[in-house]
Amino acid sequence: VAFNAYVKHVAKSSMPDDEKLLLLRKIMPYANSAGDKKLVIKTLGDVKTFLSYVYLKQYLDDKDLKHDAANSLFKVILPSNGEDNGLKGKDVKETLKKVKELLTGPDSQYFKIDIDNYINSMGDEGGYVSMFNGKDLSGWQGFVANPIKLEEMSPGKRKKLQVEANKKMHENWSVQDGAIVFNGSGHNLCSVRDDYGDFEMIVDWCITKKGDSGIYLRGTPQVQIWDTSRVEVGAQVGSGGLYNNKEHRSTPLLVADNPIGDWNTFRIKMVGDKVTVYLNGQLVVDNVTMENYWDRSIPIFPKGTIELQAHGTDLSFRDIYIKELKPENHNKLTPEEEKDGFKLLFNGENLDGWVGNKVDYRVENGEIVISGGNGSHGNLFTKDEYKDFVFRFQFKLTPGANNGLGIRAPLKGDAAYKGMELQILDNTADVYKDLKPYQYHGSVYGVIPAKRGYLKPVGEWNTEEVIAKGTHIKVILNGHVILDGDISDAIKNGTLDHKDHPGLKNEKGHIGFLG
């Protein structure tokens, strides 16, 4: 009687589905009959989460429960109430084929048609994939060093240290009852893959008294996990926060932790440097910038490992799934820009329409990227030439970055003189503190100085607009006019750098980035 009442109470409650699933999984071991198990399985049909799908799928091979599991999986997987909340992915598609054969009930023939239609509409989306097979530590390895130190190591040294770390890993991490278990001694457990970019991640975790752990994203600490009774270290704020943030919010929006010894569910979404976290179905981090703990002067790394943090206390993880997201293409015209006749010069996917150095300049995650060092240099120009125009672009600088925007430039020769260069520069770098006024960001190089003080901090995106009309040049940085001058007036008495700039007389030319 108590078992039935518990299940019905959970079903009727207003708790989030993530929490309902945890509570139903918690009561399942107390089921004394197939009828008790069927009650839980049927109830899970109304708990639409990916982990409900994972949990129910195991019962498709149970001769007494497979039909009930199939009926519940149908409800969990397919969209409901006209919403786009159906589950997708290769594994889901294969499971649906099995569900179709096991469906029972008076409406099952119609449900099978729904399944066929949904499978046909699903496409090739990868969906969630498992990071843990429930049996061993395949896909995981021991911690060697943080991303910056790893990058500095020689391949030989890194390989040697990895062998040593893997040996220690098996002394401290193990698999017990379908969960990854840490014995309280040793270092982090790292994904073998080190190229996770944008993703959605699901993971269940459970800690013991005074527990302290976390999830490292792209090798960076961390989405916090801890015992909320540890008020001496501020744990009363709850788990899920971006613990190591200094500038952006580090604490969760609310406390959503389950009692010590009970399982909790994280749903983590990371796009760029922004992180969103749900704990047990409740939003605790809302699109917050995650700072780079290893070097706060630069943004978090675009790609990296997933790590399970070891912090001196026993803990467990289970059901670890990740869905990689395609980088969002921000290279789109607004309706207003389309109306005003703007043309998109970069499609976010490749360098079609551009000429010049396509080796050092490359496309990554919808951005044109050039890295410093290693001889990176050269120019990237538009294939077409332009005379009078409005040119809009966004750029992000690393510390000490130095580039330039060439306009009305030829494809050969120094664009700063054979054409015209508008400086792109980290004005705050100490190495540039003694530059001439006409050498700082936004200036017509050597000719007209720009105002300073309007660049965003290094690592953040800036928006710039350049208006070229005849000899008049105007530069607007982040909404502020930093240069507004006429070339013909500026050179009446010679250029400020006392050099010859024949390109100032060009009526048209290419637009480009000058490495």
Side-chain angles (χ1 to χ4, degrees):
V1 173
F3 185 97
N4 290 346
Y6 177 105
V7 174
K8 291 176 181 178
H9 177 72
V10 172
K12 293 180 180 179
S13 75
S14 59
M15 290 180 288
D17 281 350
D18 285 343
E19 183 67 11
K20 286 184 177 181
L21 172 62
L22 290 170
L23 290 171
L24 291 171
R25 291 185 67 171
K26 184 178 180 179
I27 199 65
M28 189 60 135
Y30 296 92
N32 286 325
S33 65
D36 288 346
K37 293 179 180 179
K38 287 182 179 182
L39 177 61
V40 173
I41 289 172
K42 289 179 180 179
T43 303
L44 282 170
D46 295 318
V47 181
K48 288 184 70 69
T49 75
F50 181 78
L51 290 187
S52 292
Y53 159 78
V54 172
Y55 185 72
L56 286 167
K57 191 172 69 165
Q58 66 180 312
Y59 293 105
L60 291 178
D61 296 321
D62 187 306
K63 63 182 180 65
D64 296 323
L65 304 172
K66 59 185 179 181
H67 296 293
D68 297 283
N71 287 327
S72 287
L73 277 166
F74 170 80
K75 295 171 66 177
V76 168
I77 295 173
L78 266 69
S80 60
N81 302 322
E83 299 181 20
D84 184 23
N85 60 352
L87 300 182
K88 298 178 181 179
K90 295 178 182 178
D91 185 75
V92 172
K93 187 181 294 187
E94 292 305 311
T95 299
L96 270 178
K97 294 176 182 178
K98 194 170 184 178
V99 166
K100 178 183 173 183
E101 301 303 318
L102 294 171
L103 284 178
T104 57
D107 293 324
S108 59
Q109 58 185 0
Y110 303 109
F111 294 158
K112 292 178 180 180
I113 295 173
D114 291 339
I115 287 176
D116 287 335
N117 291 335
Y118 188 61
I119 288 176
N120 292 333
S121 69
M122 198 179 294
D124 297 324
E125 182 177 331
Y128 282 102
V129 296
S130 176
M131 295 183 69
F132 169 49
N133 62 19
K135 300 175 182 178
D136 56 43
L137 294 176
S138 300
W140 297 89
Q141 60 186 5
F143 175 86
V144 172
N146 71 58
I148 293 178
K149 290 185 177 179
L150 278 178
E151 191 68 25
E152 296 171 349
M153 287 182 190
S154 67
K157 182 179 180 180
R158 184 172 178 174
K159 184 177 181 179
K160 179 182 178 182
L161 291 177
Q162 189 64 68
V163 171
E164 296 174 0
N166 288 348
K167 182 178 180 181
K168 293 179 180 178
M169 172 188 75
H170 289 289
E171 296 173 0
N172 311 127
W173 295 87
S174 61
V175 176
Q176 300 175 25
D177 299 325
I180 295 176
V181 177
F182 177 64
N183 64 15
S185 177
H187 221 306
N188 295 0
L189 190 66
C190 308
S191 63
V192 171
R193 277 191 55 184
D194 61 358
D195 60 350
Y196 289 110
D198 294 346
F199 57 83
E200 293 181 7
M201 179 184 182
I202 301 174
V203 55
D204 275 4
W205 54 270
C206 179
I207 55 175
T208 52
K209 191 169 180 60
K210 302 299 180 181
D212 191 343
S213 182
I215 310 290
Y216 281 35
L217 308 181
R218 300 187 197 145
T220 302
Q222 86 218 37
V223 178
Q224 180 70 357
I225 295 172
W226 51 6
D227 177 357
T228 56
S229 71
R230 298 182 61 201
V231 295
E232 71 279 4
V233 293
Q236 66 273 14
V237 299
S239 298
L242 305 184
Y243 179 79
N244 289 289
N245 272 1
K246 299 297 183 185
E247 180 180 351
H248 301 88
R249 181 168 181 144
S250 63
T251 56
L253 298 171
L254 50 85
V255 179
D257 301 59
N258 283 330
I260 295 300
D262 279 5
W263 285 96
N264 298 263
T265 298
F266 268 156
R267 283 190 286 123
I268 301 168
K269 182 176 182 180
M270 186 172 200
V271 177
D273 60 1
K274 297 291 192 295
V275 176
T276 297
V277 181
Y278 284 84
L279 173 55
N280 300 325
Q282 299 192 68
L283 180 65
V284 293
V285 174
D286 188 6
N287 202 39
V288 175
T289 297
M290 186 173 188
E291 299 163 22
N292 192 332
Y293 175 80
W294 307 114
D295 185 348
R296 295 188 183 276
S297 67
I298 60 175
I300 192 171
F301 311 111
K303 295 183 178 181
T305 58
I306 303 295
E307 295 180 29
L308 309 180
Q309 186 191 35
H311 216 300
T313 56
D314 296 351
L315 59 118
S316 304
F317 298 92
R318 71 181 184 192
D319 290 341
I320 310 172
Y321 288 85
I322 194 163
K323 177 171 65 176
E324 296 182 79
L325 305 175
K326 292 183 179 180
E328 183 178 353
N329 189 350
H330 295 282
N331 299 280
K332 300 176 183 177
L333 296 176
T334 66
E336 292 76 17
E337 287 170 335
E338 290 181 346
K339 183 178 179 182
D340 290 340
F342 278 86
K343 175 185 176 183
L344 192 66
L345 294 184
F346 172 50
N347 60 22
E349 298 179 0
N350 53 52
L351 293 175
D352 290 353
W354 295 80
V355 295
N357 186 343
K358 292 188 178 183
V359 176
D360 294 327
Y361 286 93
R362 59 195 185 279
V363 177
E364 291 183 359
N365 299 326
E367 303 161 6
I368 297 176
V369 176
I370 183 170
S371 301
N374 301 319
S376 294
H377 64 283
N379 303 331
L380 183 71
F381 288 109
T382 58
K383 184 178 180 180
D384 296 329
E385 294 185 285
Y386 299 92
K387 184 180 179 181
D388 292 347
F389 56 82
V390 177
F391 178 74
R392 293 174 179 169
F393 70 108
Q394 293 179 315
F395 65 94
K396 180 166 63 174
L397 302 172
T398 53
N402 186 348
N403 203 272
L405 180 71
I407 64 174
R408 295 179 184 155
L411 295 179
K412 295 183 179 180
D414 191 335
Y417 302 96
K418 299 295 184 180
M420 190 187 318
E421 178 178 2
L422 304 177
Q423 187 72 298
I424 299 176
L425 187 82
D426 171 19
N427 285 348
T428 64
D430 188 63
V431 69
Y432 301 136
K433 67 180 186 301
D434 296 324
L435 292 182
K436 301 295 184 183
Y438 54 76
Q439 293 178 302
Y440 284 101
H441 181 87
S443 299
V444 178
Y445 190 83
V447 182
I448 305 176
K451 296 178 182 177
R452 283 179 264 169
Y454 298 103
L455 279 168
K456 291 186 178 180
V458 169
E460 294 187 16
W461 285 99
N462 296 267
T463 299
E464 187 159 304
E465 178 173 284
V466 175
I467 303 172
K469 188 174 183 180
T471 58
H472 187 258
I473 307 296
K474 188 175 185 179
V475 179
I476 304 169
L477 175 64
N478 298 320
H480 302 277
V481 177
I482 62 171
L483 184 143
D484 191 356
D486 195 290
I487 298 296
S488 58
D489 292 338
I491 62 174
K492 281 181 178 179
N493 299 316
T495 60
L496 292 177
D497 64 0
H498 307 297
K499 294 183 179 180
D500 187 23
H501 288 255
L504 296 177
K505 297 178 181 179
N506 296 349
E507 290 189 357
K508 67 176 182 177
H510 303 271
I511 298 173
F513 298 108
L514 314 177

PDB file of all heavy atoms in Angstrom, residues 120-137:
ATOM      1  N   ASN A 120      10.916   8.823 -39.921  1.00  0.00           N
ATOM      2  CA  ASN A 120      11.197   9.407 -41.235  1.00  0.00           C
ATOM      3  C   ASN A 120      11.525  10.895 -41.142  1.00  0.00           C
ATOM      4  O   ASN A 120      12.250  11.436 -41.991  1.00  0.00           O
ATOM      5  CB  ASN A 120      10.018   9.193 -42.179  1.00  0.00           C
ATOM      6  CG  ASN A 120       9.833   7.732 -42.555  1.00  0.00           C
ATOM      7  OD1 ASN A 120      10.783   6.957 -42.553  1.00  0.00           O
ATOM      8  ND2 ASN A 120       8.605   7.350 -42.866  1.00  0.00           N
ATOM      9  N   SER A 121      11.000  11.551 -40.112  1.00  0.00           N
ATOM     10  CA  SER A 121      11.240  12.994 -39.967  1.00  0.00           C
ATOM     11  C   SER A 121      12.486  13.307 -39.146  1.00  0.00           C
ATOM     12  O   SER A 121      12.902  14.464 -39.051  1.00  0.00           O
ATOM     13  CB  SER A 121      10.037  13.659 -39.284  1.00  0.00           C
ATOM     14  OG  SER A 121       9.949  13.259 -37.917  1.00  0.00           O
ATOM     15  N   MET A 122      13.084  12.278 -38.578  1.00  0.00           N
ATOM     16  CA  MET A 122      14.137  12.495 -37.597  1.00  0.00           C
ATOM     17  C   MET A 122      15.450  12.950 -38.224  1.00  0.00           C
ATOM     18  O   MET A 122      16.212  13.699 -37.613  1.00  0.00           O
ATOM     19  CB  MET A 122      14.358  11.210 -36.784  1.00  0.00           C
ATOM     20  CG  MET A 122      15.090  11.435 -35.479  1.00  0.00           C
ATOM     21  SD  MET A 122      15.300   9.891 -34.539  1.00  0.00           S
ATOM     22  CE  MET A 122      13.612   9.480 -34.120  1.00  0.00           C
ATOM     23  N   GLY A 123      15.757  12.524 -39.436  1.00  0.00           N
ATOM     24  CA  GLY A 123      17.025  12.905 -40.037  1.00  0.00           C
ATOM     25  C   GLY A 123      18.187  12.140 -39.436  1.00  0.00           C
ATOM     26  O   GLY A 123      18.013  11.086 -38.812  1.00  0.00           O
ATOM     27  N   ASP A 124      19.381  12.694 -39.609  1.00  0.00           N
ATOM     28  CA  ASP A 124      20.595  12.011 -39.156  1.00  0.00           C
ATOM     29  C   ASP A 124      21.195  12.622 -37.901  1.00  0.00           C
ATOM     30  O   ASP A 124      22.384  12.469 -37.621  1.00  0.00           O
ATOM     31  CB  ASP A 124      21.646  12.030 -40.276  1.00  0.00           C
ATOM     32  CG  ASP A 124      21.176  11.269 -41.501  1.00  0.00           C
ATOM     33  OD1 ASP A 124      20.490  10.248 -41.323  1.00  0.00           O
ATOM     34  OD2 ASP A 124      21.490  11.710 -42.623  1.00  0.00           O
ATOM     35  N   GLU A 125      20.397  13.337 -37.130  1.00  0.00           N
ATOM     36  CA  GLU A 125      20.904  13.966 -35.910  1.00  0.00           C
ATOM     37  C   GLU A 125      21.478  12.920 -34.972  1.00  0.00           C
ATOM     38  O   GLU A 125      20.868  11.876 -34.721  1.00  0.00           O
ATOM     39  CB  GLU A 125      19.774  14.731 -35.226  1.00  0.00           C
ATOM     40  CG  GLU A 125      20.208  15.467 -33.974  1.00  0.00           C
ATOM     41  CD  GLU A 125      19.060  16.265 -33.359  1.00  0.00           C
ATOM     42  OE1 GLU A 125      18.172  16.681 -34.114  1.00  0.00           O
ATOM     43  OE2 GLU A 125      19.056  16.451 -32.136  1.00  0.00           O
ATOM     44  N   GLY A 126      22.672  13.205 -34.445  1.00  0.00           N
ATOM     45  CA  GLY A 126      23.365  12.231 -33.605  1.00  0.00           C
ATOM     46  C   GLY A 126      22.706  11.983 -32.266  1.00  0.00           C
ATOM     47  O   GLY A 126      22.674  10.869 -31.759  1.00  0.00           O
ATOM     48  N   GLY A 127      22.171  13.032 -31.645  1.00  0.00           N
ATOM     49  CA  GLY A 127      21.558  12.892 -30.333  1.00  0.00           C
ATOM     50  C   GLY A 127      22.582  12.641 -29.238  1.00  0.00           C
ATOM     51  O   GLY A 127      23.790  12.796 -29.430  1.00  0.00           O
ATOM     52  N   TYR A 128      22.099  12.244 -28.082  1.00  0.00           N
ATOM     53  CA  TYR A 128      22.986  11.950 -26.947  1.00  0.00           C
ATOM     54  C   TYR A 128      23.731  10.643 -27.173  1.00  0.00           C
ATOM     55  O   TYR A 128      23.178   9.676 -27.703  1.00  0.00           O
ATOM     56  CB  TYR A 128      22.186  11.833 -25.654  1.00  0.00           C
ATOM     57  CG  TYR A 128      21.767  13.160 -25.059  1.00  0.00           C
ATOM     58  CD1 TYR A 128      20.464  13.616 -25.216  1.00  0.00           C
ATOM     59  CD2 TYR A 128      22.670  13.934 -24.349  1.00  0.00           C
ATOM     60  CE1 TYR A 128      20.068  14.825 -24.679  1.00  0.00           C
ATOM     61  CE2 TYR A 128      22.278  15.150 -23.797  1.00  0.00           C
ATOM     62  CZ  TYR A 128      20.981  15.593 -23.969  1.00  0.00           C
ATOM     63  OH  TYR A 128      20.600  16.794 -23.442  1.00  0.00           O
ATOM     64  N   VAL A 129      24.991  10.633 -26.763  1.00  0.00           N
ATOM     65  CA  VAL A 129      25.769   9.393 -26.786  1.00  0.00           C
ATOM     66  C   VAL A 129      26.340   9.170 -25.391  1.00  0.00           C
ATOM     67  O   VAL A 129      26.607  10.115 -24.645  1.00  0.00           O
ATOM     68  CB  VAL A 129      26.909   9.446 -27.823  1.00  0.00           C
ATOM     69  CG1 VAL A 129      26.362   9.555 -29.227  1.00  0.00           C
ATOM     70  CG2 VAL A 129      27.858  10.594 -27.540  1.00  0.00           C
ATOM     71  N   SER A 130      26.539   7.915 -25.048  1.00  0.00           N
ATOM     72  CA  SER A 130      27.019   7.575 -23.709  1.00  0.00           C
ATOM     73  C   SER A 130      28.514   7.804 -23.585  1.00  0.00           C
ATOM     74  O   SER A 130      29.290   7.476 -24.476  1.00  0.00           O
ATOM     75  CB  SER A 130      26.696   6.114 -23.408  1.00  0.00           C
ATOM     76  OG  SER A 130      27.233   5.741 -22.146  1.00  0.00           O
ATOM     77  N   MET A 131      28.925   8.390 -22.449  1.00  0.00           N
ATOM     78  CA  MET A 131      30.341   8.548 -22.122  1.00  0.00           C
ATOM     79  C   MET A 131      30.801   7.460 -21.149  1.00  0.00           C
ATOM     80  O   MET A 131      31.975   7.416 -20.784  1.00  0.00           O
ATOM     81  CB  MET A 131      30.599   9.928 -21.517  1.00  0.00           C
ATOM     82  CG  MET A 131      30.353  11.093 -22.447  1.00  0.00           C
ATOM     83  SD  MET A 131      30.768  12.677 -21.680  1.00  0.00           S
ATOM     84  CE  MET A 131      32.576  12.545 -21.566  1.00  0.00           C
ATOM     85  N   PHE A 132      29.861   6.613 -20.725  1.00  0.00           N
ATOM     86  CA  PHE A 132      30.174   5.574 -19.736  1.00  0.00           C
ATOM     87  C   PHE A 132      29.319   4.355 -20.037  1.00  0.00           C
ATOM     88  O   PHE A 132      28.093   4.437 -20.062  1.00  0.00           O
ATOM     89  CB  PHE A 132      29.904   6.106 -18.331  1.00  0.00           C
ATOM     90  CG  PHE A 132      29.929   5.076 -17.243  1.00  0.00           C
ATOM     91  CD1 PHE A 132      30.972   4.170 -17.135  1.00  0.00           C
ATOM     92  CD2 PHE A 132      28.893   5.001 -16.311  1.00  0.00           C
ATOM     93  CE1 PHE A 132      30.991   3.210 -16.137  1.00  0.00           C
ATOM     94  CE2 PHE A 132      28.906   4.051 -15.309  1.00  0.00           C
ATOM     95  CZ  PHE A 132      29.955   3.157 -15.224  1.00  0.00           C
ATOM     96  N   ASN A 133      29.976   3.216 -20.268  1.00  0.00           N
ATOM     97  CA  ASN A 133      29.243   2.019 -20.675  1.00  0.00           C
ATOM     98  C   ASN A 133      28.637   1.234 -19.516  1.00  0.00           C
ATOM     99  O   ASN A 133      27.991   0.202 -19.727  1.00  0.00           O
ATOM    100  CB  ASN A 133      30.142   1.100 -21.505  1.00  0.00           C
ATOM    101  CG  ASN A 133      31.362   0.609 -20.723  1.00  0.00           C
ATOM    102  OD1 ASN A 133      31.399   0.641 -19.494  1.00  0.00           O
ATOM    103  ND2 ASN A 133      32.376   0.156 -21.452  1.00  0.00           N
ATOM    104  N   GLY A 134      28.849   1.697 -18.276  1.00  0.00           N
ATOM    105  CA  GLY A 134      28.272   1.027 -17.121  1.00  0.00           C
ATOM    106  C   GLY A 134      29.028  -0.191 -16.650  1.00  0.00           C
ATOM    107  O   GLY A 134      28.650  -0.829 -15.652  1.00  0.00           O
ATOM    108  N   LYS A 135      30.129  -0.548 -17.366  1.00  0.00           N
ATOM    109  CA  LYS A 135      30.860  -1.767 -17.033  1.00  0.00           C
ATOM    110  C   LYS A 135      32.313  -1.511 -16.641  1.00  0.00           C
ATOM    111  O   LYS A 135      32.838  -2.144 -15.741  1.00  0.00           O
ATOM    112  CB  LYS A 135      30.812  -2.725 -18.226  1.00  0.00           C
ATOM    113  CG  LYS A 135      29.410  -3.132 -18.636  1.00  0.00           C
ATOM    114  CD  LYS A 135      29.436  -3.988 -19.892  1.00  0.00           C
ATOM    115  CE  LYS A 135      28.024  -4.357 -20.334  1.00  0.00           C
ATOM    116  NZ  LYS A 135      28.033  -5.156 -21.599  1.00  0.00           N
ATOM    117  N   ASP A 136      32.972  -0.585 -17.366  1.00  0.00           N
ATOM    118  CA  ASP A 136      34.380  -0.313 -17.084  1.00  0.00           C
ATOM    119  C   ASP A 136      34.691   1.140 -17.413  1.00  0.00           C
ATOM    120  O   ASP A 136      33.789   1.920 -17.752  1.00  0.00           O
ATOM    121  CB  ASP A 136      35.292  -1.263 -17.866  1.00  0.00           C
ATOM    122  CG  ASP A 136      35.042  -1.229 -19.378  1.00  0.00           C
ATOM    123  OD1 ASP A 136      34.877  -0.116 -19.926  1.00  0.00           O
ATOM    124  OD2 ASP A 136      34.999  -2.299 -20.005  1.00  0.00           O
ATOM    125  N   LEU A 137      35.952   1.529 -17.330  1.00  0.00           N
ATOM    126  CA  LEU A 137      36.345   2.915 -17.509  1.00  0.00           C
ATOM    127  C   LEU A 137      36.827   3.213 -18.935  1.00  0.00           C
ATOM    128  O   LEU A 137      37.622   4.129 -19.149  1.00  0.00           O
ATOM    129  CB  LEU A 137      37.437   3.291 -16.497  1.00  0.00           C
ATOM    130  CG  LEU A 137      36.991   3.276 -15.029  1.00  0.00           C
ATOM    131  CD1 LEU A 137      38.177   3.558 -14.106  1.00  0.00           C
ATOM    132  CD2 LEU A 137      35.875   4.285 -14.783  1.00  0.00           C
TER     133      LEU A 137
END
